[in-house]
Amino acid sequence: MELGNLGTIDTVIFGAYIVGVILFGVWIANREKTSTASDYFLASRSLPWWAVGGSLIASNISAEQIIGMNGSGFELGLAIAAYELMAAITLILVAKFFLPVFLKQEIYTMPQFLEERYDGTVRTIMSVFWIALFVFVNIATVLYLGALAIETLLGIDLIYGIIGLVLYSASFSIFGGLKAVVWTDVVQVVVLMLGGTIAAYGILSVVGDGSVFTGIANLYQALPEHFEMLFEPGDTYLDVASAHELSTGVTPYGEPTALESGAEVKSSFQLLPGMALLFGGMWITNGYYWGNNQYIIQRALASKDLAEAQRGVAFAAFMKLFIPFFAVLPGIAAWYLLREQDPANLPITKADQAFPWVLANYVGVGFTGLTFAALVAAIGSSVSSMVNSTSTIFTMDIYNKFINPEATEGRQVRVGQISAAVSLVIGAAVAPALDNAGQVFQVIQEYTGFISPGVLVVFVFGFFYRRGTAKAALLVVLSSVPLSWAFQQLMPDLPFLDRMAFIFVISALLMVVVSQFTGRKRLAPGEESANHKTGGQITNRDSHEKLIKDIKLRNGLCLAVIGIGGATGLRLLLQPVPGIPLWMSIIFLVLSIGVVALIYTDKTADDYKAIDLHPSLFRTRMGFNIAAIVIILILAFLYTWLG
């Protein structure tokens, strides 16, 4: 099958599925009443564990995973799967240490928590950051990749594909709120997992002469470099888009190329810097995404209770282990089948076309339409999730706070609907600008990394550093973007995961040092409210249970600093990166040791908004603990075998 020609049967199945999902979403939106803010933004806090887990994966698995990661698998190999595999452990940690605090506070948004822990200024700044990130990076990139898949398989111009996805997402998410988004997610995650598996089975069977397992073995034998899980500084890959441009002499826009010979060979290590995938910057990427990202964490906030939320997150963690089978292996198989051809004559002119090419050529009639429909539906699902979270933050953290603090529940819902529509339109306007971005998955990771180190520090230290102050948090969030930009310009050879680790350590240092000079002593028990929402104070003084010992909190913070900053410095010392001087790794280590020393020697009083954490808050059930152990053992086996 040629690209741009889906076929009659597949086109009918594709259209029927999309229409069916739209009708289902509209039915849910009309059946479920969304008269209150809780109904619209948090699905009335009534989601069962399987809906939480399914919606988490449906919101997460979208164009950037299926198309973007297969594109990275096409050029880089299985190492890109670290984003999925390490996410499984991250989800377990988030469920155990983050969710108990969030659900205890009954918050709607991440910025709301920041005001309760710090102050309104931190909340407002982060609200603006998140809205800009969701609209200009997340929504725009997902719309672009989805439209690229539609263009590749259906031959529809990119701009019309973007418009179609906007209309699809708007059809139920704007009026139905989170309930409509989540229940359509539950349907779509089943079809998407099935469709992705069918696609992987189709191309792997071709590679293995009818056997999937033989196909994987043949790939492993023929392309050992594509199964490296941890790259070395000298490892490179072929940038297909640049190779095609050099071979034809013109850009995708028909202009003479400015590239020179050799520009098509790029560093794999720059994108996936070796052990940083296990220790270092990867923890920032995953910790921020799964623990502090509104459109992800909002599903858990909408669960029935903490136990139900933790079961749902553990369920999602197990599904993450399976995702590389259809989100990476088809891309590797595509490279296997095309690697001998002239780059000028490849049917793929950019890496992100790998998965649509697989669908067009190696999935059976009927299944191609179903798989493609599930992919497009999941793209719409992710967009809907991002749009709903954008409208939640705008309504709860900006409109309610600054524009109309006395807004009725109905008015809040209407504002949420309007802001959702506006965010879709802006994202659609930005999406076409990504047409020459290469591996868009990597673009998302890098630019999200401009704010994620500072945000993660503010949240983690907000939980476990009782002396952290609002002024320190404000400085951290304000400095994250300029520091990231400065290091990107001054040290372009430093891999972005390592840059994120360095910003994390600097942010931690700022949090501790500034807090020591700006602290406001906590009031005596008799002078403060027992209600954590009174005065913005997060406390629980009516409980007779002892607090978690301060030394345990310090140990946890130091472990985070060592595991991210110290590990990165040590790795750079033992595994030097070309273009990065030795003193950089020494600074990493010195800063990490300095932060650890400051944490252990800090004698200042607790901040007046410090969180009272009791041991019972973090107790988990036996089933959750067993799931965590099994996930860790599976990952240990994979990295030992392939590492």
Side-chain angles (χ1 to χ4, degrees):
M1 183 190 301
E2 296 295 326
L3 294 181
N5 182 17
L6 189 59
T8 303
I9 295 176
D10 289 304
T11 301
V12 170
I13 292 174
F14 169 76
Y17 182 86
I18 293 297
V19 171
V21 171
I22 290 175
L23 293 176
F24 177 70
V26 171
W27 176 69
I28 290 290
N30 286 289
R31 189 193 71 167
E32 301 287 350
K33 302 299 182 182
T34 55
S35 56
T36 69
S38 178
D39 291 336
Y40 187 80
F41 298 116
L42 289 181
S44 305
R45 299 186 189 271
S46 61
L47 298 183
W49 67 268
W50 48 271
V52 172
S55 186
L56 276 172
I57 295 300
S59 299
N60 168 244
I61 305 178
S62 184
E64 58 284 38
Q65 270 68 35
I66 303 298
I67 298 176
M69 290 192 71
N70 269 300
S72 294
F74 181 76
E75 292 183 337
L76 295 170
L78 192 60
I80 195 67
Y83 282 100
E84 301 300 309
L85 300 176
M86 297 307 294
I89 295 182
T90 307
L91 278 165
I92 295 298
L93 294 177
V94 167
K96 184 171 180 62
F97 296 111
F98 285 31
L99 287 186
V101 181
F102 289 147
L103 290 173
K104 174 188 174 185
Q105 305 313 132
E106 298 183 351
I107 58 173
Y108 280 81
T109 68
M110 296 294 97
Q112 182 184 351
F113 171 82
L114 294 177
E115 180 172 24
E116 294 189 359
R117 174 57 183 90
Y118 296 111
D119 65 14
T121 304
V122 177
R123 174 182 184 174
T124 301
I125 289 174
M126 286 311 304
S127 298
V128 174
F129 273 175
W130 266 312
I131 289 173
L133 182 69
F134 288 164
V135 172
F136 293 102
V137 177
N138 296 107
I139 294 175
T141 51
V142 173
L143 285 174
Y144 163 72
L145 286 175
L148 178 65
I150 293 172
E151 182 182 53
T152 303
L153 273 174
L154 298 181
I156 296 174
D157 287 345
L158 189 77
I159 188 64
Y160 295 114
I162 292 171
I163 293 172
L165 287 172
V166 167
L167 295 175
Y168 168 79
S169 302
S171 63
F172 55 87
S173 62
I174 290 178
F175 298 102
L178 189 62
K179 281 185 181 179
V181 173
V182 167
W183 292 117
T184 52
D185 280 351
V186 170
V187 174
Q188 289 172 168
V189 74
V190 175
V191 179
L192 181 62
M193 297 288 276
L194 176 63
T197 302
I198 290 171
Y201 178 86
I203 192 167
L204 290 172
S205 295
V206 170
V207 174
D209 295 323
S211 170
V212 171
F213 296 106
T214 302
I216 295 174
N218 288 346
L219 290 179
Y220 183 77
Q221 183 176 7
L223 303 173
E225 71 282 357
H226 268 64
F227 283 83
E228 290 184 25
M229 295 297 289
L230 302 171
F231 290 132
E232 298 291 333
D235 289 338
T236 60
Y237 72 95
L238 176 68
D239 184 325
V240 172
S242 296
H244 181 268
E245 186 173 322
L246 280 169
S247 64
T248 60
V250 296
T251 70
Y253 304 103
E255 301 171 354
T257 182
L259 297 178
E260 296 181 359
S261 180
E264 74 278 16
V265 179
K266 297 183 179 179
S267 170
S268 306
F269 191 81
Q270 278 287 331
L271 299 177
L272 301 170
M275 290 296 291
L277 303 184
L278 299 180
F279 304 100
M282 182 62 75
W283 287 104
I284 300 172
T285 297
N286 280 330
Y288 163 78
Y289 182 86
W290 294 104
N292 307 138
N293 191 340
Q294 178 71 27
Y295 78 83
I296 292 297
I297 209 72
Q298 193 165 338
R299 275 97 185 109
L301 297 180
S303 61
K304 292 179 178 179
D305 53 41
L306 176 59
E308 203 79 356
Q310 289 176 327
R311 279 195 292 269
V313 172
F315 175 49
F318 272 109
M319 286 194 283
K320 293 298 284 183
L321 298 178
F322 179 71
I323 288 172
F325 177 72
F326 61 82
V328 181
L329 286 181
I332 298 176
W335 176 258
Y336 172 85
L337 295 172
L338 296 173
R339 70 191 190 281
E340 301 296 338
Q341 296 188 27
D342 180 359
N345 297 316
L346 285 180
I348 296 173
T349 58
K350 61 176 70 175
D352 288 333
Q353 291 177 333
F355 188 73
W357 180 79
V358 170
L359 285 187
N361 293 277
Y362 296 100
V363 179
V365 174
F367 290 116
T368 299
L370 180 64
T371 304
F372 182 51
L375 172 61
V376 172
I379 292 166
S381 223
S382 291
V383 172
S384 299
S385 300
M386 296 167 189
V387 165
N388 182 264
S389 294
T390 303
S391 69
T392 302
I393 292 177
F394 177 81
T395 304
M396 308 305 294
D397 298 308
I398 294 179
Y399 180 80
N400 282 2
K401 187 173 177 61
F402 297 105
I403 301 174
N404 189 1
E406 304 300 324
T408 63
E409 295 278 352
R411 181 61 180 170
Q412 291 177 47
V413 171
R414 286 192 293 275
V415 170
Q417 293 169 341
I418 294 171
S419 57
V422 171
S423 65
L424 261 177
V425 171
I426 296 174
V430 174
L434 296 167
D435 197 28
N436 200 28
Q439 296 180 27
V440 175
F441 182 78
Q442 297 293 347
V443 173
I444 296 171
Q445 302 307 321
E446 176 151 6
Y447 285 98
T448 301
F450 272 55
I451 70 165
S452 53
V455 172
L456 189 63
V457 164
V458 166
F459 273 93
V460 171
F461 278 71
F463 292 155
F464 307 120
Y465 183 57
R466 298 177 60 81
R467 299 153 187 84
T469 67
K471 290 182 179 179
L474 180 62
L475 181 60
V476 168
V477 298
L478 288 177
S479 63
S480 186
V481 171
L483 280 174
S484 297
W485 180 84
F487 274 95
Q488 184 191 52
Q489 301 303 310
L490 295 174
M491 290 192 171
D493 294 325
L494 185 67
F496 78 91
L497 285 177
D498 292 342
R499 184 177 72 237
M500 290 167 61
F502 195 59
I503 302 304
F504 178 88
V505 176
I506 294 176
S507 298
L509 180 65
L510 289 173
M511 175 63 76
V512 175
V513 172
V514 176
S515 292
Q516 291 182 355
F517 294 97
T518 60
R520 290 176 60 184
K521 186 177 180 180
R522 189 165 189 173
L523 299 175
E527 299 177 279
E528 61 188 5
S529 170
N531 186 333
H532 72 275
K533 292 188 176 180
T534 302
Q537 190 149 336
I538 304 177
T539 184
N540 190 20
R541 286 298 186 184
D542 57 346
S543 174
H544 298 292
E545 186 180 1
K546 291 184 178 180
L547 301 179
I548 296 176
K549 292 182 179 179
D550 188 57
I551 188 63
K552 290 187 176 181
L553 299 179
R554 295 181 193 238
N555 289 342
L557 289 172
C558 290
L559 183 62
V561 172
I562 293 170
I564 294 176
T568 302
L570 184 61
R571 199 206 79 240
L572 288 174
L573 191 64
L574 300 176
Q575 193 181 48
V577 176
I580 302 301
L582 179 64
W583 55 262
M584 187 66 182
S585 60
I586 297 174
I587 289 178
F588 252 116
L589 291 171
V590 170
L591 282 177
S592 300
I593 293 171
V595 173
V596 169
L598 286 171
I599 290 173
Y600 277 124
T601 58
D602 190 355
K603 301 298 182 183
T604 55
D606 291 353
D607 184 66
Y608 80 111
K609 282 193 172 182
I611 304 177
D612 285 343
L613 299 177
H614 303 279
S616 60
L617 192 64
F618 301 109
R619 289 176 189 149
T620 49
R621 299 187 178 186
M622 181 62 70
F624 178 85
N625 297 335
I626 292 173
I629 293 171
V630 171
I631 287 171
I632 292 171
L633 290 176
I634 291 173
L635 289 174
F637 169 75
L638 284 174
Y639 274 93
T640 300
W641 175 42
L642 295 174

